Amino acid sequence: MAKITELFMATHNQSKIAEIAEMLKPYAIAIKSSNDIPYPETDETGTTFEENASLKVIDGFKASNMPTIADDSGICVKTLNDEPGVYSARYKGGYNTVLNKLGNIANANRDAYFVCVIAYTDKNGKIHLFRGESHGKIAKTPQGEGGFGYDPVFIPNGETKTYANMTKAEKSQTSHRKKALAKFMDFITSE
Ligand code: ITT
C-alpha cells in the first residue's frame, strides 16, 4: 500500500501524542491530533483496553477521515486484582491511591504492568489492534518529574529508575506504548 506520511491520533492526552510523535520520527510519519482537527471526547464504556481503543479509533476516523490510531492504556497492579486497569485515567487519587493501598507491602508483592492497546483504522475503516505490555514494580515513593500519569511510581523490570526519571528515549526501550507501536509499524510496513 502507499506509504503513510500522516496519521491522526484520536486522543486528548498531550503526553501520549508527544511519546508517539517521537517514536514515529524515524519513520517520517507526522501525527495530527485533536490539536489540528476537532475530535469529540469518546465515551469509554468498554471493559477492556481493546474495546475502548476501538471506540476511540472509530470516533477519530469519523472526525478525521484519515488513517487513524487510538491508544487505550493503563496500569494493572497484581495484588489489587489488576486495578486500576482500564479505569487508570479515572482512578480517584491516581498513583497516590495505589501507594496508599499497597502501603509498606514487600517488593515481592508490588508487581504491576502497564498495558497499551493501539487501534488502527485503515482507509476503509477496518480496525486492527496491537497490544504491548511493560512489567515491573510499584515503587514505595514517587520519584522523578518526567513522563505522566503513573510514571513516578513504576520501575520496569531490570531497571532501578522509575519511568518518570527517564528520558522519553529511555522509557521507550521497555514501554508498553513502544511495544504496541512496533507491532503496528510491522503491520503497516508489511501491508
Ligand atoms: P485519551 O482517552 O484521550 O487517549 P486518556 O488519558 O483518558 O486520554 P486512557 O483512557 O487510555 O487515556 O487512560 C490512560 C491512563 O493510564 C493515563 O491517563 C495514565 O493515567 C495511565 N497511563 C497510560 N500509559 C501511561 C504511561 O506510559 N505512563 C504513565 N501512565 C500511563
Side-chain angles (χ1 to χ4, degrees):
M1 68 172 255
K3 186 180 166 343
I4 289 175
T5 54
E6 272 188 350
L7 272 175
F8 182 70
M9 184 165 180
T11 181
H12 293 95
N13 183 321
Q14 299 300 320
S15 303
K16 288 183 183 176
I17 296 170
E19 285 191 9
I20 297 266
E22 179 153 319
M23 291 173 198
L24 288 176
K25 260 193 208 152
Y27 302 98
I29 297 176
I31 288 289
K32 298 277 177 205
S33 69
S34 55
N35 302 330
D36 310 290
I37 300 171
Y39 152 70
E41 195 77 56
T42 297
D43 210 3
E44 294 182 37
T45 52
T47 55
T48 63
F49 295 105
E50 283 78 4
E51 281 177 79
N52 283 337
S54 302
L55 291 171
K56 289 190 263 195
V57 89
I58 290 166
D59 284 351
F61 181 66
K62 278 188 199 148
S64 69
N65 209 19
M66 287 170 58
T68 298
I69 57 171
D71 162 321
D72 199 63
S73 45
I75 193 164
C76 304
V77 181
K78 290 192 186 167
T79 40
L80 302 180
N81 292 320
D82 282 351
E83 257 185 49
V86 291
Y87 305 105
S88 295
R90 292 166 270 173
Y91 196 59
K92 205 161 179 290
Y95 67 68
N96 284 311
T97 302
V98 171
L99 289 180
N100 290 337
K101 285 194 174 185
L102 292 183
N104 212 16
I105 197 170
N107 250 350
N109 294 315
R110 304 183 80 89
D111 286 348
Y113 58 101
F114 273 118
V115 177
C116 174
V117 172
I118 290 181
Y120 164 63
T121 45
D122 58 29
K123 60 181 181 341
N124 302 315
K126 184 171 174 353
I127 298 176
H128 307 266
L129 298 169
F130 308 91
R131 183 183 178 105
E133 295 187 2
S134 170
H135 289 244
K137 301 261 181 207
I138 299 294
K140 293 215 166 141
T141 53
Q143 295 153 43
E145 303 292 323
F148 69 105
Y150 297 78
D151 281 343
V153 298
F154 183 80
I155 302 173
N157 287 339
E159 299 285 341
T160 51
K161 294 194 283 191
T162 65
Y163 271 162
N165 260 331
M166 295 184 188
T167 61
K168 281 197 190 64
E170 285 171 334
K171 176 178 172 183
S172 79
Q173 284 174 17
T174 55
S175 92
H176 45 306
R177 187 157 294 107
K178 179 62 188 277
K179 288 175 187 158
L181 193 79
K183 289 184 185 170
F184 162 67
M185 287 310 302
D186 280 352
F187 174 77
I188 57 166
T189 49
S190 65
E191 217 183 357

